[in-house]
Amino acid sequence: MAKTQYSLSDDPTKLGRPTTDFTITVREFKPSIGAGFLVALTGDVMTMLGLPKHPAALQMDVDDYGNARGLF
């Protein structure tokens, strides 16, 4: 579940864990096909893209002359 990092609820004004009887409103379900599950988005949460198995940063380097290699 993707929610505010400061609260167990989807309301950022309710910090921590609400004591009892609270409701979480799911605004959207987002499929995460590669991982094989659904993500429930609550409140005003933004998500980030995941990295591939081999990120492009692993191919970047600087040669002996100070030239960048492996950039897009």
Side-chain angles (χ1 to χ4, degrees), residues 47-63:
T47 59
M48 293 176 50
L49 298 174
L51 291 174
K53 283 188 175 187
H54 301 285
L58 296 177
Q59 305 303 317
M60 295 178 193
D61 198 8
V62 178
D63 65 17

Side-chain angles (χ1 to χ4, degrees), residues 30-54:
K30 189 172 184 179
S32 182
I33 304 299
F37 56 84
L38 292 174
V39 177
L41 299 175
T42 66
D44 196 23
V45 172
M46 296 184 339
T47 59
M48 293 176 50
L49 298 174
L51 291 174
K53 283 188 175 187
H54 301 285

Side-chain angles (χ1 to χ4, degrees), residues 4-53:
T4 176
Q5 67 268 28
Y6 300 115
S7 175
L8 185 62
S9 76
D10 61 335
D11 184 353
T13 63
K14 296 180 181 176
L15 300 180
R17 180 181 57 87
T19 54
T20 59
D21 300 325
F22 66 95
T23 302
I24 294 179
T25 303
V26 175
R27 67 175 167 87
E28 180 182 356
F29 284 103
K30 189 172 184 179
S32 182
I33 304 299
F37 56 84
L38 292 174
V39 177
L41 299 175
T42 66
D44 196 23
V45 172
M46 296 184 339
T47 59
M48 293 176 50
L49 298 174
L51 291 174
K53 283 188 175 187

